[in-house]
Amino acid sequence: MNTSRLTERLHTLVNQLPKHVQLVAVSKFHPIEQIMEAYRAGQRQFGESRVQELCSKVTQLPNDIEWHFIGHLQTNKIKQISSFVSLIEAVDSLRLLQAINKEGERINRRIPCLLQVYIAKEDTKYGFLPEECRSLFESVTIDAFPYIQFKGLMGMATFTEDRVQIKAEFEQLRALYDEIRQKHAAFVPDFSVCSMGMSSDYDLAIEAGSTLIRVGTAIFGHRSY
Ligand SMILES: *Cc1c(COP(=O)(O)O)cnc(C)c1O
């Protein structure tokens, strides 16, 4: 993609966003030069979904970038990103949460995490069911995860053209986010992120109360895998 168009797309998008909505530019599979273009246009939060790719990019790019890990994270790779990652967005199992907590203890860092909630009506996506998410917060004691900073929830809607369904799924996630934030405020004082919305559906996500959208294609163009 022509880089001046990249800057133009990014600015158009950023200018549309309400003040309470943050943008993560999803740079997976896109080269360093395009990320630098977005960086020069003012973007500082980027999202990657593969550990190896993220680690290679980190060394080549400015160190004031905030990196979000948005993919499925394998427990044996946590330590490669634990010291610098700004937010692990897709903690999708109790086992992973426990492993991140243990790594946080090892490096003495409270690692910022979102729990990925399974809101889609399909069986290909990872995450906690809403009731599992609820019971996690009901059952854990205040010091079960001292090295996790619970920052909020993340979810992906069903891959469908049905915008009514997509919006309903986002509303469901936002309602769960509000519920947990209110009920467990003492346990999760930093709960402030409801991450939902990608290139095709961020408008619906914002209407439903997203506070953070993860947009790749609409900024960088199509990915070549
Ligand atoms: C790739 C990806 C995105 C960005 O998708 P686009 O359709 O390119 O905007 C957002 N969230 C997650 C979890 C992703 O893996």
Side-chain angles (χ1 to χ4, degrees), residues 35-97:
I35 302 173
M36 268 318 291
E37 184 66 26
Y39 179 89
R40 279 191 289 268
Q43 183 64 26
R44 289 296 179 273
Q45 294 182 297
F46 291 87
E48 290 284 336
S49 61
R50 296 187 311 175
V51 168
Q52 200 185 349
E53 182 178 352
L54 170 56
C55 291
S56 140
K57 285 176 172 172
V58 165
T59 60
Q60 301 174 65
L61 285 157
N63 57 20
D64 62 340
I65 289 181
E66 293 175 22
W67 293 102
H68 289 214
F69 192 79
I70 63 168
H72 172 65
L73 181 58
Q74 292 169 270
T75 52
N76 62 352
K77 295 191 175 163
I78 299 168
K79 58 172 158 331
Q80 296 182 47
I81 64 170
S82 56
S83 64
F84 68 84
V85 71
S86 284
L87 188 59
I88 300 178
E89 286 216 22
V91 178
D92 53 13
S93 71
L94 197 54
R95 196 173 143 262
L96 178 58
L97 192 65

Side-chain angles (χ1 to χ4, degrees), residues 102-114:
K102 202 170 158 201
E103 169 64 7
E105 179 171 21
R106 190 182 74 85
I107 64 169
N108 193 27
R109 178 178 186 222
R110 276 181 84 218
I111 301 175
C113 292
L114 303 182

Side-chain angles (χ1 to χ4, degrees), residues 26 28 49 70 154 156 197-200 214-218 223:
V26 176
K28 63 187 186 195
S49 61
I70 63 168
M154 177 271 209
M156 277 186 280
M198 320 188 353
S199 294
S200 59
R214 309 173 309 271
V215 177
T217 309
R223 292 177 282 274

Side-chain angles (χ1 to χ4, degrees), residues 38-214:
Y39 179 89
R40 279 191 289 268
Q43 183 64 26
R44 289 296 179 273
Q45 294 182 297
F46 291 87
E48 290 284 336
S49 61
R50 296 187 311 175
V51 168
Q52 200 185 349
E53 182 178 352
L54 170 56
C55 291
S56 140
K57 285 176 172 172
V58 165
T59 60
Q60 301 174 65
L61 285 157
N63 57 20
D64 62 340
I65 289 181
E66 293 175 22
W67 293 102
H68 289 214
F69 192 79
I70 63 168
H72 172 65
L73 181 58
Q74 292 169 270
T75 52
N76 62 352
K77 295 191 175 163
I78 299 168
K79 58 172 158 331
Q80 296 182 47
I81 64 170
S82 56
S83 64
F84 68 84
V85 71
S86 284
L87 188 59
I88 300 178
E89 286 216 22
V91 178
D92 53 13
S93 71
L94 197 54
R95 196 173 143 262
L96 178 58
L97 192 65
Q98 285 160 344
I100 296 170
N101 185 64
K102 202 170 158 201
E103 169 64 7
E105 179 171 21
R106 190 182 74 85
I107 64 169
N108 193 27
R109 178 178 186 222
R110 276 181 84 218
I111 301 175
C113 292
L114 303 182
L115 297 185
Q116 182 173 0
V117 182
Y118 177 91
I119 50 172
K121 306 270 179 304
E122 56 196 36
D123 45 33
T124 54
K125 288 186 178 136
Y126 297 97
F128 291 86
L129 294 170
E131 51 272 31
E132 291 172 338
C133 197
R134 270 190 202 96
S135 65
L136 171 70
F137 287 105
E138 298 292 343
S139 64
V140 294
T141 60
I142 203 119
D143 46 21
F145 295 103
Y147 292 95
I148 301 286
Q149 184 186 24
F150 288 98
K151 292 216 67 172
L153 303 180
M154 177 271 209
M156 277 186 280
T158 304
F159 187 70
T160 172
E161 303 276 283
D162 184 347
R163 299 189 33 101
V164 174
Q165 182 183 342
I166 293 171
K167 180 135 185 245
E169 291 173 359
F170 286 150
E171 285 168 345
Q172 186 199 343
L173 183 65
R174 175 68 204 211
L176 181 66
Y177 163 80
D178 286 334
E179 181 190 320
I180 291 168
R181 196 164 55 137
Q182 282 154 23
K183 266 196 185 165
H184 305 287
F187 181 52
V188 292
D190 305 317
F191 220 66
S192 57
V193 180
C194 184
S195 171
M196 54 189 191
M198 320 188 353
S199 294
S200 59
D201 56 20
Y202 67 82
D203 56 330
L204 295 174
I206 291 169
E207 282 173 36
S210 174
T211 70
L212 184 152
I213 60 173
R214 309 173 309 271

